[in-house]
Amino acid sequence: MKNDIRFKEKSLHGTPQYPVGLYSYNTSLAQTFAISHWHDEIEIVYVEHGTLYMTIGGNGYTLKDGDTVIVNPGEIHELYAHGSRLCYHAVVFDC
């Protein structure tokens, strides 16, 4: 599914002058944060506390307190929590 146009994210990250998107999420609910998608930018995800489940390129990962992952440009990925108190941060930027 890599680079399948149906999954390309349409959101802009940052502005033309500052092309960096900074995102923080804090929840105690089981929910999907980002359905399967890809974008042309690099994404760095840091878990401050809790458990974040991710799929990247079809592989599943469980991220916990202090874990960091880098998602390459064009790589399809999804992020979701499963009933845990979770705080995570993401930075999306052009390479």
Side-chain angles (χ1 to χ4, degrees):
M1 286 193 281
K2 185 175 178 182
N3 290 329
D4 185 327
I5 196 69
R6 294 175 297 161
F7 296 103
K8 183 158 183 22
E9 185 177 56
K10 293 170 181 56
S11 300
L12 296 176
H13 302 288
T15 67
Q17 294 78 24
Y18 187 73
V20 176
L22 305 172
Y23 308 95
S24 291
Y25 302 90
N26 196 349
T27 187
S28 60
L29 302 173
Q31 63 183 3
T32 300
F33 292 101
I35 60 172
S36 291
H37 71 285
W38 65 272
H39 37 73
D40 294 322
E41 301 87 3
I42 291 176
E43 183 168 356
I44 299 173
V45 176
Y46 168 73
V47 177
E48 187 172 322
H49 59 77
T51 304
L52 176 68
Y53 300 101
M54 289 187 73
T55 59
I56 303 170
N59 298 306
Y61 301 94
T62 301
L63 305 174
K64 297 188 181 262
D65 299 15
D67 287 345
T68 301
V69 66
I70 298 172
V71 181
N72 291 317
E75 196 155 37
I76 195 161
H77 56 288
E78 180 176 42
L79 299 88
Y80 54 99
H82 184 69
S84 63
R85 190 168 162 261
L86 170 66
C87 179
Y88 81 94
H89 311 280
V91 179
V92 183
F93 58 96
D94 200 5
C95 49

